[in-house]
Amino acid sequence: AKRAGRNAYAVFDPSMSRSVLEEAQQRVDMERGLAEDQFEVLYQPVVDMRTRRVTGVEALVRWRHPERGLLSPYSFIAAAEANGLIVPLGRWVLRRACAQLARWRAETPAAAHLKINVNLSARQFQYAGLVDDVAAALSDAGIPANHLTLEITESMLMADITAAIETLGALRSLGVSLAIDDFGTGYSSLSYLKQLPVDIIKIDKSFVDGVDTDPSDHALVNAMVGLGKALRMQTVAEGIETDAQWSVLRRIGCDHGQGYLFGRPADHATVLGLLTTQDLP
Ligand code: C2E
Ligand code: CA
Ligand code: CA
Ligand code: CA
């Protein structure tokens, strides 16, 4: 459905009424989903590139819809962003993820160093209550701030760079880490990147796909890892599916990796199993 501005509701246009109605229904549906606990969080391992040991997990939301089945975030995040429900949904994911990390920490000493990554949406990033929400999620769960990484995309930063730097600074003052997600797909300039108080660069899967076969992908990933080192930022390669990609990325010097090769998004019990069967660091 096309995004309708607030004022569009006041104008009667039969051609628009369907999409407006659909949007309104979807909003109600999503509100009910939140109230009735239909959302779930899965956790995908992030591993140390050299040892392949799990060092963290990324929280990825799903919607277990009573009629439509298990929905991918691609099918509802954009709508939630447009109708504003991404703010309460994102807060729920954040709180859920922090509580889950606390639970793993209580369940096994193997989770002592585990970090958790949570995605922020553009609207959440602009929301004035974000820093308070993050502080409350951390203290309510009782987890150390430096075990939480918030992922933001380049486009979110570039919309208003001054405001973004201020928000990033406030988040960092809490002690959380910050990652730029889908790095390389946005349009951030290097001079901006230098100013950003960011700790981690996540290299987008679109570059990782050809890192072992396509010389230009290889050169780009190599440059991004070099940039990370120059700026003292950690690098994480996303979407690693093969051993060939893994060994090339390891040789390039990428710090961490994520992808189906190491593990798909999984439930809390599966992650606990992974943690307890690998040697303690
Ligand atoms: P993302 O943040 O770039 O997350 C990585 C996506 O790539 C995930 O899809 C993950 O399952 C998938 N992936 C990981 N490794 C591989 C691989 O080796 N091969 C392939 N083909 N895919 C892989 P998912 O879970 O469907 O999430 C899609 C996007 O939805 C995320 O992309 C993120 O932008 C958004 N999203 C997910 N959860 C949240 C959330 O809680 N809040 C917000 N704002 N966005 C979220
Ligand atoms: Ca992400
Ligand atoms: Ca990503
Ligand atoms: Ca991506």
Side-chain angles (χ1 to χ4, degrees), residues 154 180-185 193 201-204 207 224 227:
E154 289 162 85
I180 300 187
D181 203 358
D182 304 339
F183 187 75
T185 63
L193 191 64
I201 292 172
K202 294 191 78 174
I203 301 169
D204 193 66
F207 304 101
M224 289 186 240
L227 191 64

Side-chain angles (χ1 to χ4, degrees), residues 1-215:
K2 209 163 174 274
R3 178 195 278 224
R6 196 172 282 268
N7 298 326
Y9 293 90
V11 183
F12 182 75
D13 174 351
S15 73
M16 273 192 72
S17 59
R18 189 182 149 81
S19 69
V20 169
L21 186 65
E22 273 175 4
E23 277 182 21
Q25 271 166 352
Q26 192 170 26
R27 183 174 216 278
V28 170
D29 203 26
M30 214 176 270
E31 273 173 334
R32 184 186 304 132
L34 269 170
E36 296 182 358
D37 225 17
Q38 294 168 7
F39 291 91
E40 294 176 6
V41 181
L42 294 182
Y43 303 90
Q44 185 178 32
V46 177
V47 304
D48 179 297
M49 218 40 166
R50 280 163 307 141
T51 62
R52 286 175 68 148
R53 257 198 207 114
V54 180
T55 57
V57 290
E58 177 175 1
L60 295 159
V61 70
R62 300 287 182 267
W63 184 358
R64 195 169 290 282
H65 195 280
E67 286 107 41
R68 293 159 64 208
L70 193 64
L71 302 180
S72 136
Y74 290 117
S75 71
F76 61 85
I77 290 286
E81 179 81 37
N83 67 28
L85 286 175
I86 193 71
V87 172
L89 176 61
R91 185 190 296 124
W92 180 83
V93 172
L94 172 72
R95 297 186 63 84
R96 176 65 160 236
C98 289
Q100 182 55 59
L101 182 65
R103 200 172 138 186
W104 284 317
R105 287 165 64 87
E107 284 168 335
T108 174
H113 302 284
L114 192 72
K115 293 195 149 213
I116 193 146
N117 286 31
V118 175
N119 293 284
L120 293 184
S121 78
R123 199 136 161 179
Q124 232 184 325
F125 189 65
Q126 285 156 13
Y127 168 63
L130 173 68
V131 179
D132 289 344
D133 279 358
V134 173
L138 289 168
S139 72
D140 290 351
I143 60 163
N146 63 358
H147 285 232
L148 173 66
T149 299
L150 298 173
E151 300 191 1
I152 60 237
T153 61
E154 289 162 85
S155 50
M156 284 159 57
L157 300 174
M158 296 311 134
D160 181 349
I161 189 80
T162 314
I165 290 174
E166 201 174 307
T167 305
L168 295 175
L171 290 169
R172 239 206 187 168
S173 303
L174 294 177
V176 305
S177 302
L178 302 166
I180 300 187
D181 203 358
D182 304 339
F183 187 75
T185 63
Y187 49 91
S188 54
S189 81
L190 296 183
S191 61
Y192 280 155
L193 191 64
K194 196 182 125 183
Q195 298 176 48
L196 294 173
V198 164
D199 311 278
I200 299 159
I201 292 172
K202 294 191 78 174
I203 301 169
D204 193 66
K205 178 179 186 299
S206 57
F207 304 101
V208 170
D209 285 343
V211 75
D212 58 325
T213 52
D214 180 339

